[in-house]
Amino acid sequence: MGAICHSDHVSVHPEDSGGVGVDTQADLTRGLTADQVAQRVAAGQVNHTDQASSRSLWLIVKTNVFTRFNAILGGLFVLILITGSLADGLFGVVLVVNSAIGIGQEYLAKRKLDRLALLNAPTTRVIRDGALIEIPTGQVVLDDLIELRTGDQVPADGVMVSTSGLEIDESNLTGEADAIPKAAGDEVRSGTTVVAGTGRFPAAAVGHDAYINKIAAEAKKFTKTRSEIQESVNQLLKYITWIIVIALPLQLWSQWRAIGDQGWQQVVIRSTGGLVGLVPEGLVLLTSVAFLLAAVQLTRQQVLVQELPAVEGLARVDVVCLDKTGTLTVGDIAYEDCEPVPAANLSADEVRAALGALADDPNANGTLKALAAALPVPPDWQREDTIAFNSARKWSAASFAGRGCLVFGAPDVLLAADDPLRERVAELAATGRRVLLLGRSPAALQGQELPAGMTPAALVTLTEQVRPDAQETLEYFADQGVSIKVISGDNPTTVAAIARRVGLDVPPEALVDARTIGEDPEELREIVERTTVFGRVSPEQKRALVQALQRNGHVAAMTGDGVNDALALKDADIGVAMGNGAQATKAVAQLVLLDGRFSHLPSVLAEGRRVIGNVERVANLFVAKNVMSLIAIITAALFTLPFPFLPRHLTLVSAVTIGIPAFFLALGPNKRRYVPGFLKRVLRFAVPAGVVSGIVVFVSYLLARAEVGAPPASECLVQTEGSKVTDNVVCWQPSTAATIALLFTAFWILVVLSRPFRLWKAALVASMVAIAALAFITPLGQQFFNFSLTPTTLWTSLAVGAVGALAIEIIYRTEPGMRSAAGI
């Protein structure tokens, strides 16, 4: 019956192309020569970019090392080292640990993502010296003659010089689901995918100049994920920086007046003891540890956390924007069913056999491949002629020996305008299915024309494969008060039907065709609030919709897998990319679902809530210590006394009442929903608790000094490098008494913040009390910390500490925000 129909092969000769390249015109029949390739490589005209999938190692190090926190403690640490009192420089370890945690986690995330990119590195077929070879896509050079086949990703920009039934899926860039037919002279862009046919074109733009890389470059500009916890801690550090600026001269002046005759080293050591207490170094470290542990836990669930604060960020999200393809659906279509037309007198088995024969096509497009995956090839059907599918005509055809011609395509094209079958097509399409018509004709195929006498034989339904976990995940978000917005480049009706299949309520008024709205975020603010499903959305509109939600006060997350999602992911508060998505998308996302399973997001949300709740729970411990130190500094200045503690004393108190227990408390479960106002809630409890602790310290210190009769300052020197401690243990009894009273009060702060109590929490507190007791009762502890007590000072200190604990309990019970923060 004639040859298989296809579009004519078009060849453009060098003399017609106008000439491109470094030295000579590229031969568009034989491609570049080896010399021409070498010249282009030397000129940097290679399809390679320096866009990394994550931040550079230097940037990671710089971000984690050069912080205000490190600057404050680093300066104090240097002062202690100069004095030679190494025992009082233990706090400097926090500098190294905190930076190492941040650097290590981000570097591991970088390596994992870079390894992902390497494993998925694509290849490209090019013609060089007249031979077809396959090379890594990054080695394509300007003017390379590229051959495209079904399934290929277009590696560069250019203009087609030859095609044969070529169709390109541009949804990765535009969001448009339908493939676009390409003929000679048509432009193709990098990042798109060949779904049918073949073709050749010379690379006109590679590397940074390629369209996809320009989008990626804009999207990849690094923006730090917003973290309320980190912002609150930074705000605290900002305040504390100014407090230190004021407290530093006050502390130095007061200590010089009190113990100046002992030498400058003693003044620096005592002064540093107070100033170190002003820095919430444990809070910064705990935040990093909490984020790190959550990130490690999520990595085990195939969720790559590229930025530590992203774990917290998703817990703050109140709107999740989803791209249908790759998120709600797998992205592939599947054969569902066939419905024979009664007038055709065909059984369902006969229709399935005909579909199986049609699908047995070596150049099958995506639809025929879906049929082939579900239907067997009948053994007694012999193909004679074929008309390949073309998006312009929206149908394909094939003739079979002794069986006539079969036509397969869009019902709106193949059916007459008044055909009653259109009503049934509309009913099926409204459910989100893709409906195609199978027709038959006794006439032979003639060129590209629809065969004469075609009559409908059956309606064939295909459906996008909905992710099996999508509905359960969306139900979880609904239970947590998180709104869902489906933003897709596909047909609005289809998107709405898919959304309904996964349980979303999408009334007609909640559905919008984005072609009817603009791209100004300000104009979209009202629309985005009342709309659930957006269809035919451009990449720019996706970004604008996210910005509109943010301007309405929402914390928005965006999920996606295509380059057309990259800009929206970048601007969203939290960007979530699929592991099989475009590299540009994964590069800008804070979270990457390595196995592409949307169902991991509830785990991320739960981890984030645990981090926020537990960090808030223990932040009060750190800030209370800071306030206590400030009160102690002011009181020491007013009474012209030595600062009550050495730095090593506060290291002990911080370790057993804050640092170690806070680490374990951060691991505990906490399902409390996110509530804004982290810093205000912390300050409402921590400031009065810190004031109480500061008063406890100085009352106990003054009582001890009066009881034991404090010796002259010249008799009480702090041990430094090359010096010896005085044998007069009475020197250490006031500081010992203050430490005991502070421990009692601080342990009660730990108790109230550990509520609701569990057995493991009781064991934690008991073990911390035991460790603290060892410092007072063992000779090694007494010698290292310079502890000495009389029975009278012991009971006096415990009594003062108990009064402080009672005051803490009253503060806790009168602050309802604290009870809710503890999950009560």
Side-chain angles (χ1 to χ4, degrees), residues 186-206:
D186 288 344
E187 182 182 19
V188 290
R189 286 181 167 177
S190 53
T192 56
T193 305
V194 180
V195 295
T198 61
R200 291 183 179 181
F201 75 97
V206 296

Side-chain angles (χ1 to χ4, degrees), residues 135-463:
I135 62 173
T137 299
Q139 296 180 12
V140 172
V141 300
L142 188 67
D143 300 329
D144 248 331
L145 184 57
I146 299 170
E147 179 170 294
L148 299 177
R149 297 181 186 176
T150 302
D152 289 348
Q153 187 176 61
V154 180
D157 299 347
V159 176
M160 299 304 304
V161 296
S162 66
T163 63
S164 179
L166 181 68
E167 297 195 11
I168 303 289
D169 177 5
E170 297 183 344
S171 61
N172 203 25
L173 299 179
T174 66
E176 173 59 53
D178 294 333
I180 308 299
K182 296 292 183 181
D186 288 344
E187 182 182 19
V188 290
R189 286 181 167 177
S190 53
T192 56
T193 305
V194 180
V195 295
T198 61
R200 291 183 179 181
F201 75 97
V206 296
H208 290 286
D209 296 327
Y211 179 76
I212 190 174
N213 289 327
K214 289 180 179 179
I215 291 181
E218 181 180 356
K220 188 60 183 74
K221 294 174 183 174
F222 190 82
T223 51
K224 192 72 173 176
T225 303
R226 180 182 179 272
S227 164
E228 183 183 3
I229 291 178
Q230 290 188 336
E231 287 180 355
S232 299
V233 171
N234 289 337
Q235 191 74 6
L236 276 173
L237 288 175
K238 181 179 178 181
Y239 297 152
I240 291 169
T241 300
W242 287 107
I243 292 175
I244 289 177
V245 169
I246 299 173
L248 177 60
L250 175 64
Q251 177 78 332
L252 290 173
W253 173 75
S254 69
Q255 296 309 293
W256 187 265
R257 288 180 61 198
I259 56 176
D261 57 339
Q262 299 179 11
W264 68 270
Q265 292 95 338
Q266 302 298 314
V267 173
V268 168
I269 292 171
R270 288 285 180 175
S271 298
T272 301
L275 297 174
V276 167
L278 287 176
V279 181
E281 75 282 358
L283 179 56
V284 181
L285 176 59
L286 175 72
T287 302
S288 296
V289 170
F291 285 153
L292 172 63
L293 294 177
V296 170
Q297 177 64 26
L298 291 172
T299 300
R300 297 192 183 105
Q301 301 178 41
Q302 296 297 301
V303 178
L304 177 62
V305 180
Q306 300 202 82
E307 294 180 51
L308 288 174
V311 178
E312 173 208 340
L314 191 61
R316 294 189 291 107
V317 164
D318 60 356
V319 177
V320 175
C321 302
L322 308 174
D323 180 28
K324 173 183 69 67
T325 305
T327 304
L328 298 182
T329 65
V330 177
D332 300 325
I333 58 172
Y335 168 77
E336 182 184 62
D337 201 2
C338 63
E339 188 176 298
V341 175
N345 294 320
L346 292 174
S347 67
D349 288 340
E350 290 174 320
V351 171
R352 284 191 284 267
L355 294 173
L358 274 175
D360 185 24
D361 186 342
N363 196 31
N365 61 7
T367 301
L368 291 181
K369 287 180 180 178
L371 295 180
L375 301 171
V377 180
D380 53 348
W381 286 64
Q382 182 179 352
R383 183 185 295 261
E384 293 181 331
D385 289 347
T386 300
I387 298 179
F389 180 82
N390 182 287
S391 294
R393 58 174 173 260
K394 297 187 181 298
W395 57 267
S396 62
S399 62
F400 299 88
R403 299 181 182 273
C405 178
L406 294 178
V407 180
F408 190 56
D412 58 328
V413 173
L414 298 178
L415 290 176
D418 58 350
D419 194 314
L421 197 56
R422 284 181 175 268
E423 294 183 9
R424 179 56 180 161
V425 171
E427 292 176 4
L428 293 172
T431 64
R433 295 173 173 85
R434 180 177 296 183
V435 185
L436 296 174
L437 177 73
L438 176 67
R440 58 179 180 175
S441 170
L445 297 181
Q446 298 291 334
Q448 303 295 304
E449 300 298 324
L450 187 68
M454 189 214 71
T455 58
L459 293 178
V460 180
T461 55
L462 298 98
T463 183

Side-chain angles (χ1 to χ4, degrees), residues 784-812:
F784 182 82
F785 290 103
N786 301 147
F787 283 154
S788 176
L789 276 173
T790 65
T792 303
T793 55
L794 172 62
W795 289 109
T796 301
S797 300
L798 290 175
V800 173
V803 173
L806 178 62
I808 295 298
E809 183 69 27
I810 294 173
I811 294 170
Y812 176 80

Side-chain angles (χ1 to χ4, degrees), residues 45-170:
Q45 298 172 329
V46 184
N47 199 36
H48 173 74
T49 69
D50 57 5
Q51 294 167 11
S53 59
S54 54
R55 293 195 286 179
S56 66
L57 179 58
W58 163 243
L59 190 57
I60 291 174
V61 171
K62 184 172 69 172
T63 303
N64 284 277
V65 172
F66 299 107
T67 65
R68 180 186 288 110
F69 155 70
N70 286 353
I72 295 172
L73 279 189
L76 297 176
F77 181 61
V78 170
L79 288 176
I80 287 294
L81 292 181
I82 292 174
T83 67
S85 181
L86 300 182
D88 289 310
L90 294 178
F91 64 88
V93 176
V94 178
L95 287 171
V96 179
V97 174
N98 190 60
S99 297
I101 287 174
I103 293 171
Q105 197 279 335
E106 286 201 50
Y107 179 67
L108 290 176
K110 168 186 170 62
R111 287 188 60 190
K112 288 180 180 179
L113 195 66
D114 290 346
R115 194 180 305 121
L116 261 178
L118 182 62
L119 291 174
N120 294 291
T123 59
T124 299
R125 281 177 291 274
V126 297
I127 314 297
R128 290 182 178 175
D129 288 319
L132 179 65
I133 60 174
E134 191 167 331
I135 62 173
T137 299
Q139 296 180 12
V140 172
V141 300
L142 188 67
D143 300 329
D144 248 331
L145 184 57
I146 299 170
E147 179 170 294
L148 299 177
R149 297 181 186 176
T150 302
D152 289 348
Q153 187 176 61
V154 180
D157 299 347
V159 176
M160 299 304 304
V161 296
S162 66
T163 63
S164 179
L166 181 68
E167 297 195 11
I168 303 289
D169 177 5
E170 297 183 344

Side-chain angles (χ1 to χ4, degrees), residues 705-765:
R705 281 179 63 88
E707 179 184 340
V708 303
S714 59
E715 298 180 17
C716 299
L717 298 178
V718 179
Q719 183 179 18
T720 60
E721 190 72 22
S723 70
K724 295 182 179 180
V725 182
T726 176
D727 293 332
N728 189 354
V729 295
V730 178
C731 292
W732 316 124
Q733 290 181 359
S735 292
T736 305
T739 304
I740 288 179
L742 176 60
L743 280 170
F744 197 123
T745 303
F747 272 126
W748 199 256
I749 295 176
L750 176 62
V751 167
V752 298
L753 292 173
S754 297
R755 297 170 181 167
F757 240 59
R758 300 288 184 268
L759 180 61
W760 69 270
K761 293 180 182 178
L764 174 65
V765 174

